[in-house]
C-alpha cells in the first residue's frame, strides 16, 4: 500500500497476506479540527479528501469487521473517532471527496466503485469472512445484491450515524429503528446555515461595492446603510428559517421564508415609523414588504438542498409556484424603489 | 416537532405481488416509509418518502420504483439554466 500518501493520522503498518496496510489513529489533532471548521464555514470544501483504499484501526485480523465509507475527510474522521479501542478495517471508496449521502446520490459511492475497490485492495486475502458494513446512507448508490453476486461479499447496512456503529457491531450487525431514521434536529440545521450564508457572500459584496460607489458619487440615490434591512432579510431567510423550520406551520420552504420575511418587514416598518405612525411612509413600507419577503423566501427555498427530507418531486412542485411568484414580487419591489427616485409619492 | 414536506407528490411505486419479504427496504429507507407485516413490506406513509432511491436500488425483485433525485432548489435551478446536472449546494462539494 505504498501508493497511499503518508499523512499525520497514519501511525504504523499492519502486515497482512495482501501486504502492509496503514494503521490509523482514532484521535483527532489540531490540524483535523481546523480542517473541520473550515469546511463548515464553506472554505475549500471541494478538496477535503483522503486517499481511497484499505486502512486498519487497532489490531485488526482476518476476522475483524470491514467498514466502508467515502473519502470525504469529515466522514472519515467521524468514523475513526467512533472506533476508538476497536479492531476493524476501513475501506474507503473514491467518492471525489464527497460525503456518503451525496456521493450515493451521484453514484460515485456506488456498486461499481465498491466492487472495484474490493478487488483492488485484495480484500478477500485480508479477511477470511465475506461481510461488509456499509453506512445506510450509501444505499441509494449501492445495489447490495449485485455486489454479492459479483464479489461474494454480503452487505449489512449499518446505522445512519457513525456514533451508533459500535453499538451496531456489538448487537451483531443489527440496527434499531432509531439508528435507521434520518432526522433534522436543530443542531444539524445550525451547523448547515453558515454554508448557506457564505454561498451568498460574493453577490452581497459585489452589491455593497456598487452601492458604495453610488454613495460616494454624491448623487444622493442610495447609501450603504440602506442595505442593512436586506442583510437582515438574508439573516431571516438563511438563518432564522432553518432554525425555526419545523415550527413554521406551512410545508413549502419558500412559503416559510415568505411568511417570516413579511413578519420581519412588518416589524421593521413599524419600528421605522413607516406604518402605524402619525407620518407614515407607505411607499417605503411597500418596497420593504415586497423586496424583503422575496429575498427571504428565495433564500429559504435554497435550504431545501441542505434539508434531509425534501423530495425532488416536492421541490419541483414548490418551485413551479415559488420561482415565478418571487420574481414578480421582487420585480414589483425593485420597480417601486426605482420609481420612488423619480416620483415622490 | 416533526419535519414534513409536501403531500401527494412523490413518485414511489410499490408492487406488493413482487415482494418476497426480504426486508431490505425497511433497512435502507431513511424515513421509515416501510414496515414488515405478514412477511411482506407495507407502506406506512408515502408522503415521508424523499425519493432517495435506496429501496429501488436494493430491492432484488424490482418490487419498488421511484424517480430518484435530490430535492435541492439550487441544483434544480442550475440544471435548468445550464442544461446539465449541477452539484448541489449542501453537498460537501
Amino acid at each position: 500500500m505504498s501508493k497511499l500518501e503518508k499523512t499525520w493520522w497514519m501511525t504504523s503498518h499492519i502486515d497482512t497476506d495482501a501486504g502492509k496496510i496503514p494503521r490509523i489513529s482514532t484521535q483527532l489533532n489540531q490540524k483535523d479540527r481546523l480542517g473541520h471548521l473550515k469546511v463548515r464555514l464553506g472554505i475549500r470544501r471541494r478538496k477535503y479528501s483522503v486517499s481511497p483504499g484499505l486502512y486498519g484501526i487497532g489490531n485488526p485480523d482476518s476476522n475483524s469487521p470491514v467498514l466502508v465509507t467515502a473519502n470525504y475527510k469529515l466522514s472519515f474522521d467521524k468514523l475513526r473517532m467512533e472506533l476508538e479501542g476497536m479492531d476493524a478495517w476501513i475501506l474507503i471508496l473514491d467518492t471525489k471527496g464527497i460525503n456518503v449521502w451525496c456521493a450515493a446520490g451521484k453514484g460515485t459511492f456506488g456498486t461499481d466503485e465498491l466492487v472495484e475497490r474490493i478487488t483492488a485492495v485484495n480484500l478477500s486475502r485480508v479477511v477470511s469472512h465475506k461481510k461488509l458494513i456499509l453506512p445506510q446512507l450509501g444505499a441509494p448508490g449501492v445495489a447490495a445484491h449485485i455486489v454479492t453476486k459479483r464479489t461474494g461479499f454480503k452487505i449489512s447496512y449499518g446505522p445512519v450515524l457513525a456514533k451508533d456503529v459500535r453499538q451496531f457491531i456489538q448487537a451483531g450487525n443489527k440496527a434499531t429503528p432509531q439508528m435507521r431514521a434520518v432526522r433534522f434536529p436543530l443542531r444539524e440545521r445550525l451547523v448547515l446555515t453558515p454554508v448557506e450564508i457564505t454561498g451568498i457572500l460574493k453577490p452581497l459584496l459585489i452589491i455593497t461595492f456598487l452601492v458604495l460607489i453610488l454613495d460616494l458619487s454624491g448623487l444622493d440615490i442610495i447609501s450603504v446603510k440602506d442595505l442593512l434591512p436586506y442583510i437582515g432579510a438574508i439573516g431571516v431567510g438563511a438563518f432564522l428559517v432553518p432554525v425555526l423550520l419545523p415550527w413554521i406551520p406551512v410545508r413549502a420552504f419558500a412559503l416559510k421564508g415568505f411568511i417570516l420575511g413579511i413578519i420581519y418587514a412588518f416589524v421593521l416598518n413599524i419600528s421605522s415609523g413607516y406604518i402605524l405612525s402619525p407620518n407614515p411612509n407607505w411607499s417605503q413600507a411597500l418596497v420593504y414588504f415586497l423586496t424583503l419577503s422575496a429575498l427571504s423566501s428565495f433564500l429559504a427555498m435554497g435550504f431545501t438542498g441542505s434539508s434531509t427530507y425534501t423530495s425532488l418531486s416536492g421541490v419541483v412542485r414548490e418551485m413551479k409556484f415559488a420561482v415565478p411568484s418571487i420574481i414578480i414580487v421582487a420585480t414589483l419591489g425593485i420597480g417601486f424603489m426605482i420609481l420612488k427616485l423619480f416620483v415622490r409619492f | 416537532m416533526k419535519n414534513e414536506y409536501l403531500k401527494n407528490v412523490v413518485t414511489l411505486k410499490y408492487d406488493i405481488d413482487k415482494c418476497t419479504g426480504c426486508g431490505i427496504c425497511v433497512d435502507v429507507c431513511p424515513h421509515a416509509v416501510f414496515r414488515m407485516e405478514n412477511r411482506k413490506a407495507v407502506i406506512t406513509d408515502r408522503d415521508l418518502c424523499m425519493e432517495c432511491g435506496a429501496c429501488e436500488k436494493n430491492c432484488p425483485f424490482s418490487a419498488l420504483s421511484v424517480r430518484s433525485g435530490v430535492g435541492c432548489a439550487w441544483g434544480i435551478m442550475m440544471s435548468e439554466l445550464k442544461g446539465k446536472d449541477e452539484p448541489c449546494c449542501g453537498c460537501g462539494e
Side-chain angles (χ1 to χ4, degrees):
Chain A
M1 294 271 110
S2 56
K3 61 179 181 289
L4 288 178
E5 197 190 327
K6 176 90 177 119
T7 56
W8 68 88
W9 36 264
M10 288 183 195
T11 54
S12 54
H13 286 95
I14 304 152
D15 285 310
T16 71
D17 289 350
K20 282 183 193 295
I21 309 285
R23 179 184 279 120
I24 58 180
S25 166
T26 54
Q27 308 283 330
L28 299 195
N29 66 11
Q30 213 64 31
K31 217 165 160 184
D32 295 312
R33 287 196 197 91
L34 186 68
H36 294 189
L37 185 68
K38 278 165 76 177
V39 167
R40 287 306 183 199
L41 294 174
I43 305 164
R44 295 210 310 159
R45 284 198 296 164
R46 280 159 222 255
K47 288 172 189 157
Y48 206 49
S49 61
V50 290
S51 299
L54 190 66
Y55 299 87
I57 294 249
N59 292 301
D61 59 21
S62 63
N63 294 313
S64 301
V66 181
L67 298 140
V68 182
T69 191
N71 77 329
Y72 181 47
K73 182 143 185 302
L74 206 63
S75 322
F76 169 74
D77 283 349
K78 277 193 176 157
L79 182 61
R80 65 189 172 104
M81 267 169 74
E82 293 299 335
L83 298 176
E84 166 76 43
M86 291 177 76
D87 301 320
W89 301 104
I90 297 185
L91 182 63
I92 297 185
L93 304 188
D94 185 4
T95 61
K96 320 288 173 205
I98 297 173
N99 69 61
V100 171
W101 172 250
C102 295
K106 289 177 215 292
T108 47
F109 190 99
T111 309
D112 289 339
E113 165 63 15
L114 178 56
V115 168
E116 281 159 29
R117 199 58 59 184
I118 290 169
T119 320
V121 303
N122 250 324
L123 191 60
S124 52
R125 293 190 60 186
V126 178
V127 291
S128 53
H129 60 77
K130 287 279 176 192
K131 283 181 278 188
L132 299 175
I133 298 171
L134 262 67
Q136 186 192 323
L137 294 187
V142 177
H145 55 287
I146 293 173
V147 174
T148 309
K149 209 178 277 175
R150 285 169 63 184
T151 65
F153 279 91
K154 288 187 106 174
I155 289 174
S156 299
Y157 283 109
V160 167
L161 299 174
K163 74 170 177 64
D164 293 324
V165 87
R166 179 187 302 263
Q167 213 190 323
F168 174 84
I169 294 170
Q170 283 168 354
N173 290 2
K174 288 220 159 39
T176 63
Q178 281 72 34
M179 290 183 196
R180 295 239 173 272
V182 169
R183 289 177 204 86
F184 202 31
L186 180 62
R187 205 195 66 86
E188 219 169 291
R189 301 200 298 274
L190 274 175
V191 159
L192 291 168
T193 51
V195 171
E196 297 290 310
I197 291 168
T198 40
I200 46 177
L201 219 53
K202 210 169 136 191
L204 183 68
L205 284 175
I206 294 169
I207 291 171
T208 310
F209 183 70
L210 291 176
V211 169
L212 190 68
I213 290 173
L214 281 174
D215 194 2
L216 296 175
S217 72
L219 283 173
D220 196 24
I221 300 172
I222 194 165
S223 84
V224 175
K225 73 176 196 314
D226 294 336
L227 285 177
L228 285 175
Y230 297 94
I231 291 165
I234 291 171
V236 172
F239 179 77
L240 210 54
V241 170
V243 167
L244 300 177
L245 201 68
W247 296 289
I248 308 169
V250 289
R251 289 165 189 254
F253 281 45
L255 198 53
K256 287 175 195 271
F258 183 76
I259 290 173
L260 291 202
I262 288 284
I263 295 172
Y264 165 63
F266 192 72
V267 171
L268 186 76
N269 279 328
I270 288 180
S271 62
S272 310
Y274 296 151
I275 54 169
L276 305 178
S277 76
N279 296 310
N281 184 344
W282 290 106
S283 60
Q284 187 54 44
L286 186 64
V287 166
Y288 278 161
F289 273 123
L290 295 168
T291 52
L292 299 178
S293 64
L295 182 56
S296 166
S297 179
F298 182 73
L299 293 171
M301 189 177 74
F303 199 65
T304 51
S306 291
S307 88
T308 57
Y309 65 96
T310 50
S311 60
L312 173 62
S313 303
V315 178
V316 168
R317 180 187 282 177
E318 159 164 1
M319 287 174 74
K320 269 194 186 134
F321 181 75
V323 173
S325 306
I326 291 169
I327 291 173
I328 291 169
V329 173
T331 310
L332 281 175
I334 295 166
F336 277 124
M337 209 192 293
I338 294 167
L339 200 63
K340 263 168 59 68
L341 293 175
F342 302 102
V343 194
R344 298 282 167 204
F345 63 92
Chain B
M1 275 308 263
K2 210 171 173 182
N3 286 305
E4 284 174 334
Y5 201 43
L6 308 187
K7 286 186 168 203
N8 300 320
V9 67
V10 293
T11 53
L12 177 68
K13 286 199 184 75
Y14 172 48
D15 181 352
I16 196 163
D17 293 333
K18 289 186 181 166
C19 178
T20 63
C22 75
I24 188 93
C25 53
V26 181
D27 281 354
V28 297
C29 179
H31 291 289
V33 171
F34 306 99
R35 126 176 94 81
M36 296 305 288
E37 211 171 75
N38 301 324
R39 284 195 234 154
K40 290 264 192 190
V42 291
I43 291 181
T44 57
D45 182 355
R46 274 181 93 246
D47 292 333
L48 295 179
C49 173
M50 65 176 297
E51 303 186 322
C52 72
C55 58
E56 174 180 356
K57 189 95 182 174
N58 281 277
C59 178
F61 311 100
S62 308
L64 288 153
S65 72
V66 62
R67 186 190 64 164
S68 62
V70 185
C72 169
W74 278 113
I76 295 165
M77 258 186 291
M78 287 303 148
S79 62
E80 285 286 317
L81 289 174
K82 296 185 182 173
K84 59 173 184 180
D85 283 344
E86 275 293 303
C88 192
C89 45
C91 266
E93 200 202 47

